[in-house]
Amino acid sequence: MSEGEDGTDPAFVADSTVVVENASVWFGQKVALSELSCSFGPGVTGLLGPNGAGKSTLMRAITGLIGVNAGEVRVDGRDPRTDRDVQGRIALVPEDEAVPAQLTPRELVRYVADLHGVRDPGAAERALDLVDMLPAADRRLRGFSKGMRQRSKVAAALVTDPPVLVLDEPLNGADPVQRVRLTDLFRSLGAEGRTVIVSSHVLSEVERLADRVLVLIHGRLAAAGNHRAIRDAMDDRPRHVLIRADEPRRLGAALLRLGTVAGVSLTDAGLVVTTERAGALAVAVAPVARELGVRLREVRPLDDSLESLFQELVR
Amino acid sequence: MSSRAPTERRAASPLTAIVRYTVRACVPSQRWLLLLPVAGAVLFGLLSRLSDETAVTAFVRVGGTALHTLVLPITCLVIGDALLGAEIRSGVFAFTWLSPVRYRTIVIGRWLGGCLIAAAVLVPAAAGAAVAAGAPSSAAPAAVAAVAGAAAYLALFLAIGASFKRPVVWSLALVILVERLLGAALDGIAQLSPGWLAQSVLVGLTSPAADLQREGIPSGWAAVGRLAVVAAVGLAVATRRLRSLRPASSAD
């Protein structure tokens, strides 16, 4: 792991509320986390990783849902697995869709509020309003879409006003409008000084959500820092960009003459351009197409999926 | 007329919240399913009329036996799995587990909620069976026996739910192999068996023919006391097991 700009390890923060030290978790023969060390503090931290990277396991260990087999996890200096009082300071929005189907969102939020001893009678309504669930608050969760279930779970987490909020793929299933709304909400919670840990396997999603990012691969920490630093770390690696245009052969030949393009290939999906300077290519491609009179239909980086990013990081 | 606005609601204690949640979450949306145990019990009550014995003795021998070997354990098995095992499997239990509420309170709340559901089903079932058998005087003893037996069963099923990944299989093994097979032969097992003890409560409180009283196990209110002990042990085990529980996620 590279050091941060100020010489500190980017996996750790100075004012940490959650500390993970050499944590290992395994399920039978499968190692889910391997000697992972990092910390989380106020603000939004993104946990990135492909499916099976160990993000959910780390989040469940942080909330105490599972214990670590080796190492330790501390929240405010206490063990979340054994100290029940820690649960009053932490909330989890689990990834899975499981919800008490018989309940309505209002009943679920009130239930969680009662368990946490929330005395403010308006807390449940405010939490539901924050995620725009008041109009559907009295319908049963059974009939809800994935996005509405997620929002109901977010409301249940927010009703306790937790200093530490752990969100496992919270935008899954949300429509574009709700994504923006939830993203703004999580960012504002982080700006209030809460420790917000949010996982995703979509790079662009995490870029919008979090300034600080931890990348997990195979249960290990592969990279840490802000998302720009992680992208910068890949700048000298070849990137692939898909270009769909009316005359891909002519466009490909013209692009090859640019110094920024290392190679082109024509595929069924379109023209795939390999470059080590994706930014320069992005600037150049439109003028070249205009000059040729070629109509561009789509320009899309193929490496933006985290899987390809991770493949680069672990190569 | 005024209606209470949602924001005027008073906060409930964690125990009350858990009991309320349990009743709300564990009752199936198809409410008619709750009538099945009642229908079964009444059917067995009617079958009691085929006997030449007195109505009370016939009810205890036929209706009571069927109630405590079939209706009671199966009803409790379904409710008991919904109390904990099903929630742990689906990942829903995390909503309860991730709170500062003590494990003891969670277990007792779940158990009380389960007992309320069981009582709502089994009291009409037991009373209906007694009336159908022509022994209405046995309705109250039958209801007491059913509720006491359910309390013990549910505590044991909670302990199993907190201990095993396949609680329904282990609960069935407890009822069929341990209670029915071993319990029929060994008094030591029957002395701790909710099914046998519930039947013994009914026998002791109705005073039917002497041959219905199984020797070696308490009867009447003494059996109720024994069921309370079994329930307490079950709840203690469930509480202890909850400490080491790894609540699953649906991805597991």
Side-chain angles (χ1 to χ4, degrees):
Chain A
M1 188 91 51
S2 62
E3 287 187 346
E5 290 172 6
D6 55 356
T8 57
D9 186 339
F12 295 90
V13 293
D15 49 349
S16 60
T17 48
V18 177
V19 177
V20 180
E21 279 185 19
N22 292 318
S24 294
V25 175
W26 53 81
F27 302 100
Q29 298 291 315
K30 184 179 184 299
V31 178
L33 288 182
S34 180
E35 297 180 347
L36 183 72
S37 294
C38 57
S39 66
F40 303 87
V44 184
T45 302
L47 269 185
L48 274 171
N51 294 332
K55 304 185 299 292
S56 295
T57 301
L58 175 59
M59 293 183 137
R60 293 172 69 199
I62 288 171
T63 55
L65 271 175
I66 57 171
V68 292
N69 297 99
E72 64 176 20
V73 175
R74 298 272 161 192
V75 177
D76 290 336
R78 295 186 287 187
D79 183 353
R81 181 70 183 158
T82 56
D83 190 337
R84 295 293 288 164
D85 292 333
V86 176
Q87 299 301 335
R89 297 182 47 75
I90 196 164
L92 169 72
V93 176
E95 179 193 8
D96 48 54
E97 289 187 58
V99 286
Q102 302 277 70
L103 268 60
T104 66
R106 179 172 277 124
E107 287 171 332
L108 175 64
V109 173
R110 284 177 172 177
Y111 174 58
V112 173
D114 288 338
L115 292 183
H116 285 256
V118 176
R119 295 290 163 213
D120 179 357
E125 304 304 307
R126 284 197 302 278
L128 288 163
D129 190 33
L130 274 174
V131 296
D132 200 20
M133 281 300 291
L134 274 178
D138 293 316
R139 284 166 48 198
R140 288 199 181 182
L141 288 159
R142 176 191 305 280
F144 279 179
S145 66
K146 184 171 186 175
M148 290 177 81
R149 289 182 180 207
Q150 283 294 96
R151 280 154 57 203
S152 302
K153 289 188 286 183
V154 172
L158 293 181
V159 75
T160 64
D161 197 19
V164 180
L165 187 59
V166 182
L167 306 154
D168 197 356
E169 309 265 4
L171 301 182
N172 268 6
D175 62 46
V177 174
Q178 290 302 335
R179 276 174 182 266
V180 172
R181 187 179 176 129
L182 288 173
T183 300
D184 291 345
L185 172 63
F186 299 148
R187 288 197 71 95
S188 69
L189 290 169
E192 287 172 9
R194 297 173 207 270
T195 299
V196 180
I197 305 170
V198 56
S199 77
S200 176
H201 58 271
V202 181
L203 181 58
S204 56
E205 199 169 276
V206 172
E207 283 179 345
R208 283 193 292 271
L209 270 169
D211 294 325
R212 179 171 175 261
V213 180
L214 303 181
V215 182
L216 288 185
I217 302 170
H218 303 318
R220 291 175 177 273
L221 196 60
N226 62 40
H227 54 81
R228 289 175 209 86
I230 290 170
R231 276 195 181 274
D232 288 347
M234 297 178 58
D235 266 1
D236 59 343
R237 298 173 194 278
R239 304 284 296 275
H240 300 91
V241 179
L242 174 71
I243 299 176
R244 288 178 57 233
D246 286 349
E247 298 177 74
R249 285 182 187 280
R250 278 183 66 209
L251 182 61
L255 289 175
L256 266 177
R257 289 194 285 274
L258 297 175
T260 54
V261 174
V264 296
S265 59
L266 199 56
T267 68
D268 290 342
L271 188 67
V272 176
V273 178
T274 305
T275 177
E276 291 183 357
R277 294 166 58 199
L281 175 69
V283 171
V285 69
V288 170
R290 192 165 49 238
E291 197 174 296
L292 295 173
V294 173
R295 187 175 177 191
L296 287 176
R297 297 192 177 278
E298 183 183 13
V299 178
R300 177 162 55 92
L302 292 175
D303 306 275
D304 250 8
S305 78
L306 271 181
E307 278 73 7
S308 59
L309 174 76
F310 300 140
Q311 282 165 9
E312 292 296 331
L313 284 169
V314 296
R315 191 171 287 168
Chain B
M1 194 175 75
S2 66
S3 60
R4 276 168 66 102
T7 52
E8 291 173 12
R9 168 187 169 272
R10 283 175 56 194
S13 72
L15 181 64
T16 307
I18 292 172
V19 173
R20 198 159 53 196
Y21 167 87
T22 305
V23 171
R24 189 84 174 83
C26 294
V27 172
S29 53
Q30 294 152 311
R31 301 282 159 83
W32 60 268
L33 287 173
L34 299 176
L35 293 175
L36 286 179
V38 180
V42 169
L43 177 66
F44 289 122
L46 290 171
L47 286 176
S48 306
R49 288 180 178 265
L50 298 177
S51 171
D52 294 333
E53 297 171 298
T54 64
V56 170
T57 300
F59 168 64
V60 172
R61 191 186 301 279
V62 180
T65 301
L67 196 64
H68 300 126
T69 56
L70 281 175
V71 178
L72 174 64
I74 291 174
T75 303
C76 289
L77 207 148
V78 173
I79 296 171
D81 185 53
L83 288 182
L84 195 62
E87 284 215 348
I88 291 174
R89 285 195 301 278
S90 69
V92 171
F93 188 61
F95 289 104
T96 304
W97 199 95
L98 287 169
S99 71
V101 180
R102 299 288 176 257
Y103 295 123
R104 183 177 56 241
T105 308
I106 293 174
V107 168
I108 290 175
R110 291 284 167 130
W111 176 71
L112 284 174
C115 286
L116 285 175
I117 300 170
V121 173
L122 292 172
V123 166
V131 171
S137 62
S138 300
V144 170
V147 171
Y153 264 130
L154 291 174
L156 290 180
F157 293 154
L158 267 172
I160 289 172
S163 304
F164 299 102
K165 280 192 173 177
R166 298 180 191 278
V168 176
V169 174
W170 287 99
S171 299
L172 274 173
L174 172 78
V175 172
I176 295 171
L177 298 179
V178 179
E179 281 201 293
R180 287 299 119 204
L181 288 180
L182 294 176
L186 304 170
D187 288 344
I189 299 288
Q191 284 176 0
L192 300 171
S193 152
W196 285 104
L197 285 169
Q199 175 71 1
S200 198
V201 170
L202 179 61
V203 171
L205 295 182
T206 52
S207 306
D211 66 317
L212 283 173
Q213 175 60 52
R214 179 171 173 172
E215 290 183 8
I217 65 171
S219 68
W221 290 108
V224 173
R226 181 66 63 87
L227 284 167
V229 172
V230 172
V233 171
L235 294 176
V237 172
T239 302
R240 187 167 180 78
R241 293 298 304 168
L242 220 51
R243 292 180 211 280
S244 54
L245 185 73
R246 273 185 167 194
S249 77
S250 59
D252 288 342

